[in-house]
Amino acid sequence: MSGAIIGGATGALTAGLNYALGGVKIIGSAQKTGNLFHRFSSNVQAGKFAMQIGRYSEIGLNSKLKTVGLNGAKRLDVTAVARIGKNKLIEVVSKTQTVLSQQNKINAMIASNPGTTGRVVSWALQHWFYF
Amino acid sequence: MIPSYLKDIGKEIHSNKESTKLKIICTCGCDEFKLFRKKKSREYIKLEKEYEEQFIKEFGRGFEMQSDLNGQVFVIKRNIFGKIVKKTEIKKLDIPLFKNFISVKCSSCCREYILFDENIHGYDAVIEKNQESTIVESKHYSDDSQKIEVIVYYNDDNEEENINDLSVAFGRIKIIKITNNKKITYCDFECE
């Protein structure tokens, strides 16, 4: 009984500290495809979100939208759940995907998650120009 | 995990938590196949090219979309300072999405098998609960025969979904053809 109370109190304190210090939870790992750029690009983008202290509470890598608390079971390369501002959904271009298929995918996801921003990333350095 | 639709012809040669590699062997015992891959029609290529060229011209190849609080979707363009300079409402797309389809025909007994139908196989198709298979009017198989290997990649958290057949909910499929002992990737599709 006392263990549960102490555990609960410690958990709440840790979560509170994490929130106060702007901690961010990373879920999953970047998708492995036949293209090295894809993985690198997903990791760079996730890292960039993680560096914005306090702005995002969770960052999902190749995780389902519902795993990070959004609507839908589809997977995205990077999903950032915002404490402040809009949630961000990132899809990195694969060789077999076209602009049309990417647009279709992002369209459906952000329509079911109102107030969200989605981005298709087509080249590595593009991350640094993304606000 | 072997995709259920490949169980009769897929002999497992390697498997781990993330992926399964199969060698395709016909029920007659032959392991040489002719390949077929559905191609986009000329009209479709033209339509898609025109749409994409126009879109890329306006918003670039890497683009940004936003939904408002009502779920209405816009494509946006920002300037170098991050300010939105263009915002266009997205309506339903006029062009249907092309779905990939790969099948093989046994060189010996001519039985045909589907290796991948994007309409019904793969994670996205499974969670969208697509039921309809791709209709292919005429199949022109390759003249040469080759041995085939298939690698399917899975995510470990698919169990949480209410999926009837988890084996079909792979995230990626790679089809390899082996000619003169050389392995060549025939196709590699991301399905999520």
Side-chain angles (χ1 to χ4, degrees):
Chain A
M1 182 69 182
S2 59
I5 295 168
I6 293 166
T10 315
L13 182 68
T14 315
L17 274 172
N18 190 27
Y19 188 86
L21 295 171
V24 59
K25 191 175 166 189
I26 309 267
I27 300 166
S29 58
Q31 189 188 15
K32 286 176 199 164
T33 67
N35 185 350
L36 272 180
F37 154 74
H38 194 279
R39 197 159 199 217
F40 168 77
S41 208
S42 300
N43 284 326
V44 168
Q45 188 60 61
K48 200 174 157 231
F49 285 142
M51 281 193 293
Q52 298 174 44
I53 295 165
R55 190 163 174 191
Y56 299 103
S57 58
E58 280 180 279
I59 296 169
L61 280 155
N62 193 32
S63 57
K64 289 180 280 191
L65 287 172
K66 64 164 77 164
T67 308
V68 289
L70 301 177
N71 298 322
K74 284 210 173 183
R75 288 176 192 278
L76 264 174
D77 292 314
V78 188
T79 315
V81 181
R83 283 198 183 97
I84 310 151
K86 287 175 183 269
N87 297 327
K88 299 261 166 59
L89 312 178
I90 305 290
E91 180 66 14
V92 180
V93 169
S94 293
K95 277 186 283 183
T96 54
Q97 289 172 316
T98 60
V99 167
L100 199 64
S101 69
Q102 300 267 355
Q103 195 185 347
N104 196 59
K105 186 174 180 179
I106 295 277
N107 194 355
M109 288 189 199
I110 62 172
S112 56
N113 288 285
T116 302
T117 295
R119 186 166 187 91
V120 169
V121 170
S122 62
W123 50 288
L125 290 175
Q126 190 180 13
H127 296 294
W128 307 110
F129 298 99
Y130 175 40
F131 300 89
Chain B
M1 204 168 2
I2 301 176
S4 54
Y5 67 97
L6 293 176
K7 259 189 181 149
D8 293 340
I9 54 164
K11 187 191 167 197
E12 190 175 304
I13 47 177
H14 173 74
S15 182
N16 60 28
K17 202 179 156 194
E18 291 176 341
S19 64
T20 304
K21 189 175 188 180
L22 307 166
K23 183 175 185 199
I24 303 299
I25 301 171
C26 180
T27 48
C28 76
C30 174
D31 64 354
E32 297 261 329
F33 296 90
K34 294 179 175 184
L35 273 155
F36 166 76
R37 181 176 184 167
K38 190 185 162 200
K39 286 183 180 156
K40 293 174 182 176
S41 68
R42 275 189 194 159
E43 296 77 38
Y44 187 90
I45 292 171
K46 192 177 167 229
L47 208 66
E48 188 184 52
K49 198 178 167 194
E50 278 170 7
Y51 177 83
E52 294 202 348
E53 275 177 1
Q54 181 61 30
F55 187 86
I56 290 165
K57 200 172 150 190
E58 276 187 68
F59 299 102
R61 194 168 281 280
F63 53 91
E64 191 175 341
M65 293 168 94
Q66 240 177 35
S67 62
D68 61 16
L69 294 175
N70 301 317
Q72 181 58 55
V73 180
F74 301 89
V75 191
I76 59 171
K77 191 176 184 179
R78 295 177 191 265
N79 65 14
I80 197 161
F81 304 107
K83 195 183 170 199
I84 296 172
V85 289
K86 194 170 187 178
K87 192 171 179 178
T88 306
E89 192 179 327
I90 288 279
K91 289 171 191 138
K92 199 172 177 273
L93 301 174
D94 297 330
I95 311 167
L97 280 181
F98 177 81
K99 299 286 184 175
N100 291 295
F101 179 94
I102 309 278
S103 65
V104 287
K105 184 159 89 173
C106 174
S107 299
S108 171
C109 70
C110 293
R111 276 196 191 97
E112 292 182 42
Y113 305 98
I114 295 169
L115 292 189
F116 179 61
D117 179 351
E118 201 178 359
N119 257 329
I120 51 171
H121 303 143
Y123 183 79
D124 278 355
V126 170
I127 60 155
E128 280 171 6
K129 298 189 169 46
N130 290 346
Q131 299 289 326
E132 290 178 19
S133 316
T134 303
I135 298 163
V136 185
E137 282 161 10
S138 58
K139 291 179 195 158
H140 298 288
Y141 283 95
S142 59
D143 294 332
D144 53 336
S145 297
Q146 44 257 311
K147 292 179 171 63
I148 307 285
E149 284 179 3
V150 173
I151 311 174
V152 279
Y153 298 83
Y154 292 96
N155 287 296
D156 56 5
D157 58 349
N158 284 349
E159 291 85 2
E160 297 158 16
E161 298 307 314
N162 193 16
I163 296 171
N164 288 335
D165 187 358
L166 277 172
S167 70
V168 184
F170 44 82
R172 181 183 160 204
I173 183 165
K174 190 172 175 180
I175 298 172
I176 298 159
K177 59 178 188 178
I178 307 164
T179 318
N180 301 328
N181 288 329
K182 265 190 182 172
K183 290 190 179 188
I184 301 160
T185 301
Y186 183 65
C187 58
D188 189 346
F189 298 122
E190 193 186 327
C191 314
E192 55 185 21

